[in-house]
Amino acid sequence: LTKVVFKPISSDPTRVAALLSGSIDMAYPIPVQDLGRVDSNDGTSAMTGPELRTIFLGMNQSAAELKTSNVKGKNPFADIKVREAVCRAIKIEAIKKKVMRNLADPAAMMISPKLFTGLTDQERIDYDVDAAKKLMADAGYADGFTVTMDCPNNRYVNDEKICTAVVGMMAKIGIKVSLLAQPKAIYFGKVLGPKYDTDFYLLGWTPGSLDSWNVLNNLIRCREDNGNGKFNLGGYCNPRIGELSDMVLSETDIAKRDAMIAEAYTILHTERGYVPLHQQGLAWGKADKV
């Protein structure tokens, strides 16, 4: 290549139209709903592949009372039964097929399996609405409760559509979710520290170092004044994960290190600290001459 011109086109329809008309040679991202048009158009084709970013749901577990809920004096998400009910209410295959048009890999962990292979037997919590309803009743919320869900609408692939699907799934177990979907600049200004103003949210994370320590230290360990756990928006906290995170940082024996990482992910999974959804896919459109 002797010359490359980058042309920002913020509008999805305009970007796709420019590719289909031949005025540009390559475009990214291509919305999943337009992949068929790009492939069927004479002279263009789509390229897709998995990304390392994990999309997940988080719940405020640290507050004594949820700011946006009708439950007063206690926090439903502090109860593991409620968190498991949320996990079991997520029909991930429906999100994959209907929302993501199969351009997603359902996740069982908070990191892509391409980046950590030391825990191959961890599986997603089964989708089971009846079991989720029983868990809600056992926790004392047979009639459910209300809560607001924060969601970006221009940060991840089909982020608002994913959140809309989650709202419907939560309704089946009595959790009445009010969706607050906002542009990423407003969304992150609200949910990130020092405010941490969110009770229920969708977030995505790619470990910049491509290593589990990044995930453990930023997302999973308890929030600390020194910056550890900075992006643990919901305040999930198990001190053992902090200990393991510190040990992982300096351990050079690969087998020992992987065992520590596996222990941390297992603790998180057992305590239903987060709800991993999927690794989103990437989609480019290109002219066939490229």
Side-chain angles (χ1 to χ4, degrees):
L1 299 178
T2 56
K3 183 179 181 181
V4 177
V5 177
F6 288 94
K7 184 178 181 180
I9 304 177
S10 59
S11 166
D12 287 341
T14 305
R15 188 185 321 114
V16 173
L19 175 69
L20 298 180
S21 68
S23 62
I24 60 176
D25 296 318
M26 198 166 189
Y28 170 82
I30 298 296
V32 293
Q33 61 269 24
D34 290 323
L35 291 175
R37 290 178 59 205
V38 172
D39 267 333
S40 62
N41 181 63
D42 185 28
T44 60
S45 56
M47 299 190 303
T48 61
E51 192 184 22
L52 298 176
R53 186 187 310 277
T54 299
I55 305 297
F56 59 91
L57 303 177
M59 297 160 278
N60 183 346
Q61 301 164 53
S62 60
E65 179 181 293
L66 296 180
K67 179 180 176 181
T68 63
S69 177
N70 61 346
V71 175
K72 302 305 176 185
K74 57 181 179 179
N75 178 351
F77 289 142
D79 191 321
I80 188 173
K81 295 186 184 72
V82 174
R83 299 198 300 273
E84 179 164 339
V86 171
C87 295
R88 293 197 179 280
I90 298 296
K91 193 173 185 179
I92 196 63
E93 288 300 321
I95 293 175
K96 175 182 177 180
K97 293 176 183 177
K98 295 181 180 180
V99 179
M100 299 300 292
R101 308 290 180 95
N102 289 316
L103 195 63
D105 295 326
M109 294 192 301
M110 292 290 287
I111 192 170
S112 167
K114 297 179 184 298
L115 297 179
F116 181 65
T117 59
L119 191 59
T120 57
D121 60 346
Q122 190 168 107
E123 298 181 353
R124 283 190 59 82
I125 299 168
D126 292 338
Y127 169 67
D128 190 331
V129 170
D130 290 338
K133 289 179 178 178
K134 184 178 185 306
L135 286 162
M136 289 285 288
D138 290 347
Y141 302 101
D143 295 328
F145 58 88
T146 62
V147 70
T148 294
M149 180 182 189
D150 291 291
C151 184
N153 60 16
N154 62 349
R155 178 64 183 95
Y156 311 115
V157 178
N158 286 346
D159 40 17
E160 184 174 1
K161 292 180 180 178
I162 295 169
C163 291
T164 300
V166 169
V167 170
M169 294 170 187
M170 293 300 104
K172 291 183 178 181
I173 63 170
I175 301 178
K176 305 166 190 69
V177 179
S178 174
L179 178 59
L180 179 59
Q182 298 178 299
K184 58 187 178 184
I186 301 174
Y187 167 81
F188 285 115
K190 180 179 187 291
V191 304
L192 292 180
K195 295 181 181 178
Y196 296 112
D197 181 13
T198 183
D199 287 334
F200 190 34
Y201 61 93
L202 178 138
L203 193 65
W205 191 265
T206 307
S209 61
L210 308 182
D211 179 70
S212 284
W213 179 82
N214 177 285
V215 178
L216 298 179
N217 198 66
N218 284 291
L219 287 180
I220 303 177
R221 74 182 299 164
C222 308
R223 286 203 306 256
E224 301 171 2
D225 292 339
N226 61 7
N228 290 335
K230 180 179 179 181
F231 297 95
N232 180 354
L233 309 185
Y236 164 77
C237 184
N238 184 312
R240 176 58 178 165
I241 292 180
E243 295 172 2
L244 289 165
S245 179
D246 291 338
M247 293 161 64
V248 162
L249 184 60
S250 59
E251 181 56 64
T252 57
D253 184 293
I254 298 297
K256 290 181 180 178
R257 190 175 191 271
D258 281 355
M260 295 171 186
I261 293 170
E263 181 184 345
Y265 285 139
T266 299
I267 292 171
L268 179 73
H269 183 73
T270 302
E271 295 185 340
R272 316 312 193 208
Y274 283 103
V275 187
L277 295 178
H278 56 241
Q279 278 84 41
Q280 66 181 22
L282 298 176
W284 296 264
K286 70 176 188 65
D288 290 340
K289 63 182 180 181
V290 176

